């Protein structure tokens, strides 16, 4: 897994990120979602490494990255805080400007990077997600039935950690056949760490508060994403069921937008790596 990639831990000033990076060419930062680790990209990264320098970190709180102490407002697990980590990581690795690709929760971090650090982000790719503020503004009964875990993980009166930690494997699922044996072991190690489970819940708690507030503030101020933006969504996930044309939502956020569906379930990097890598290469200028 990640043959030829370097493994290291990089301090960002607020956290320490576990990261694998390799390849050569323009830098591309790949950000995983919940409850995965950087290893979700292990089938995609080698397909990009011939033309790009590929950087795959565990987000703060996830996998083998550090778990900063939280606060009452959950700011240490806000997407703004995670974006600061990513900006610092890329500077340490010598990349002042780079493309960023985010899936699921990582899509929100990628979006926040593009909004807060526009001088650093050359291209933005978001996969299977619309801005948190947009999702919550549309959170009707259908959304709540399908995505109830947002509110289970995000509330604090009856914390979800005790329920999840009783049997993390049953709660999160996943198989070595679908994920790849090494990626599955990396993921299993993460979800069986109560500190990681707590951090992942904090991610959702920040999502319902500070992250939504950041999105809403951007909309009120008329701030938009200025770099070329690609939105990809899995046809066998629920983006179309919830939003009809999810690309229409992103048109209100990005000046230079394109998008396409991918025939896949939610975990696109694991289920359709060749199609995903080809789409990324086209968008980033390396051909198909």
């Amino acid at each position: 897994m990640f043959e030829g990639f370097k493994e290291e831990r990089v301090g960002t000033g607020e956290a320490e990120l576990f990261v694998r990076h390799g390849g050569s060419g323009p830098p591309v930062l790949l950000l995983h979602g919940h409850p995965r680790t950087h290893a979700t990209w292990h089938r995609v990264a080698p397909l990009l490494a011939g033309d790009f320098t590929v950087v795959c970190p565990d987000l703060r709180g996830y996998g083998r990255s550090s778990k900063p102490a939280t606060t009452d407002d959950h700011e240490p697990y806000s997407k703004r805080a995670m974006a600061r980590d990513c900006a610092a990581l890329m500077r340490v690795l010598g990349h002042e400007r780079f493309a960023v690709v985010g899936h699921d929760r990582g899509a929100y971090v990628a979006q926040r990077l593009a909004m807060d650090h526009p001088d650093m982000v050359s291209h933005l790719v978001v996969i299977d997600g619309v801005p948190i503020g947009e999702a919550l503004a549309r959170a009707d009964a259908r959304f709540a039935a399908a995505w109830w875990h947002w509110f289970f993980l995000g509330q604090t009166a009856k914390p979800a950690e005790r329920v999840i930690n009783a049997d993390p494997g049953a709660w999160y699922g996943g198989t070595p056949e679908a994920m790849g044996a090494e990626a599955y072991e990396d993921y299993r190690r993460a979800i069986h760490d109560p500190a990681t489970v707590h951090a992942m819940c904090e991610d959702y708690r920040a999502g319902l508060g500070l992250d939504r507030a950041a999105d809403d503030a951007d909309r009120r101020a008329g701030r938009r994403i200025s770099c070329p933006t690609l939105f990809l969504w899995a046809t066998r996930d629920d983006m179309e069921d919830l939003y009809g044309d999810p690309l229409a939502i992103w048109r209100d956020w990005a000046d230079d937008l394109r998008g396409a569906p991918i025939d896949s379930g939610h975990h696109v990097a694991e289920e359709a790596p060749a199609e995903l890598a080809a789409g990324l290469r086209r968008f980033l200028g390396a051909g198909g």
Side-chain angles (χ1 to χ4, degrees):
M1 188 171 68
F2 292 98
E3 184 176 358
F5 278 55
K6 182 179 181 180
E7 254 184 47
E8 60 181 309
R9 296 179 180 276
V10 175
T12 68
E14 300 180 45
E16 184 181 78
L17 302 188
F18 177 84
V19 59
R20 280 187 164 114
H21 56 100
S24 61
V28 179
L29 176 65
L30 304 182
L31 303 179
H32 64 85
H34 169 268
R36 298 304 206 248
T37 71
H38 76 284
T40 196
W41 300 108
H42 76 101
R43 291 170 177 154
V44 173
L47 300 177
L48 300 177
D51 294 291
F52 301 97
T53 299
V54 182
V55 181
C56 302
D58 287 337
L59 295 169
R60 71 159 66 184
Y62 285 78
R64 286 179 258 179
S65 289
S66 67
K67 284 83 174 149
T70 194
T71 56
D72 289 344
D73 64 358
H74 317 291
E75 193 280 336
Y77 291 90
S78 67
K79 308 311 151 298
R80 178 158 278 152
M82 292 182 180
R84 290 196 302 266
D85 283 344
C86 292
L89 166 68
M90 295 303 275
R91 288 192 188 102
V92 170
L93 295 180
H95 308 305
E96 291 295 331
R97 190 162 171 80
F98 54 89
V100 59
V101 180
H103 173 254
D104 186 78
R105 305 301 287 186
Y108 308 135
V109 182
Q111 172 202 341
R112 188 48 46 197
L113 258 173
M115 296 296 293
D116 289 1
H117 307 271
D119 56 321
M120 298 190 75
V121 177
S122 64
H123 298 74
L124 169 66
V125 182
V126 286
I127 307 170
D128 265 4
V130 301
I132 288 176
E134 299 280 6
L136 289 172
R138 294 166 170 78
D140 57 12
R142 181 173 55 174
F143 179 95
W147 286 31
W148 64 275
H149 65 282
W150 273 34
F151 309 102
F152 173 61
L153 298 173
Q155 55 81 44
T156 57
K158 297 180 180 179
E161 287 91 333
R162 183 173 179 180
V163 176
I164 296 169
N165 287 327
D167 192 345
W171 172 259
Y172 288 118
T175 67
E177 292 77 19
M179 298 174 65
E182 290 180 80
Y184 179 71
E185 285 307 313
D186 192 72
Y187 154 78
R188 288 274 296 177
R189 179 169 54 244
I191 64 173
H192 281 83
D193 178 357
T196 301
V197 171
H198 174 60
M200 292 192 294
C201 291
E202 286 294 297
D203 173 354
Y204 280 83
R205 290 164 187 151
L208 297 182
L210 290 178
D211 294 338
R212 182 183 190 179
D215 280 359
D216 290 349
D218 284 336
R219 288 302 306 274
R220 287 194 300 271
R223 287 189 288 268
R224 294 172 63 84
I225 297 164
S226 57
C227 66
T229 301
L230 174 66
F231 173 54
L232 300 172
W233 67 98
T235 57
R236 288 181 271 121
D237 198 11
D238 53 8
M239 285 285 105
E240 294 176 356
D241 292 339
L242 289 172
Y243 304 118
D245 176 11
L247 193 59
I249 295 173
W250 281 105
R251 291 192 185 103
D252 288 338
W253 286 82
D255 292 331
D256 180 359
L257 177 69
R258 62 214 74 177
I262 292 181
D263 181 17
S264 175
H266 178 62
H267 294 288
V268 181
E270 298 166 10
E271 299 176 41
E275 185 176 357
L276 174 57
L280 295 178
R281 287 167 56 83
R282 285 191 296 270
F283 177 64
L284 299 176

